[in-house]
């Protein structure tokens, strides 16, 4: 085998771990947090805890956001150290673009609805 081929093979034999991998206790902590973050909103809806539907929806959305973060940290191992921080940076970029797209779409739809001519809304006469 030539020296070039030999060096090439050695290069691929050394795989470095990128980012931390969790232990069993880390996975169990994430699992228990996920169960907790699912059971509380379920109880809020089934127990009819809040009289206001909007309050219930906002609390459920907050729990959903926290659960997304738990899954990203405990199961996807996303943090600012893994892959030199590029995974988290790309996630932040994606979230910003998603927010701009959704907010802009909702803004345009709202203003089109508000500024629509009354004759157009009555079905045309």
């Amino acid at each position: 085998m030539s020296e070039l081929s030999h060096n090439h093979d050695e290069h691929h034999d050394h795989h470095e771990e990128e980012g931390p991998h969790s232990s069993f206790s880390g996975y169990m902590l994430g699992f228990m947090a996920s169960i907790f973050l699912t059971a509380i909103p379920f109880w809020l809806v089934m127990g009819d805890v809040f009289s206001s539907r909007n309050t219930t929806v906002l609390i459920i959305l907050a729990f959903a956001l926290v659960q997304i973060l738990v899954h990203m940290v405990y199961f996807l191992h996303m943090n600012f150290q893994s892959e030199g921080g590029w995974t988290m940076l790309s996630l932040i970029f994606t979230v910003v673009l998603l927010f701009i797209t959704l907010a802009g779409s909702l803004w345009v739809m709202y203003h089109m609805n508000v500024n629509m001519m009354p004759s157009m809304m009555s079905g045309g006469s």
Side-chain angles (χ1 to χ4, degrees):
M1 183 155 56
S2 71
E3 188 170 323
L4 180 62
S5 175
H6 182 67
N7 288 341
H8 181 67
D9 290 340
E10 284 181 9
H11 177 69
H12 288 291
D13 288 342
H14 302 289
H15 295 286
E16 293 185 21
E17 296 288 324
E18 290 191 14
H21 289 284
S22 189
S23 62
F24 180 74
S25 61
Y27 282 117
M28 286 309 293
L29 182 62
F31 179 67
M32 296 307 287
S34 296
I35 289 175
F36 175 76
L37 292 169
T38 302
I40 298 296
F42 183 78
W43 170 73
L44 291 175
V45 171
M46 295 306 289
D48 202 22
V49 175
F50 297 107
S51 59
S52 171
R53 181 177 183 263
N54 291 337
T55 303
T56 305
V57 168
L58 287 175
I59 291 174
I60 289 173
L61 287 175
F63 272 93
L65 182 63
V66 173
Q67 189 164 36
I68 288 170
L69 294 174
V70 165
H71 280 258
M72 287 172 35
V73 170
Y74 286 101
F75 301 121
L76 298 177
H77 310 294
M78 291 184 73
N79 58 29
F80 287 105
Q81 287 82 32
S82 64
E83 295 187 25
W86 285 107
T87 56
M88 194 61 73
L89 188 62
S90 64
L91 174 72
I92 291 169
F93 180 72
T94 303
V95 167
V96 168
L97 281 180
L98 185 63
F99 175 77
I100 290 171
T101 303
L102 290 175
S105 298
L106 291 173
W107 181 75
V108 166
M109 288 188 285
Y110 171 77
H111 282 283
M112 287 192 67
N113 185 38
V114 168
N115 295 322
M116 202 172 228
M117 294 175 55
S119 64
M120 294 176 80
M121 292 176 62
S122 65
S125 35

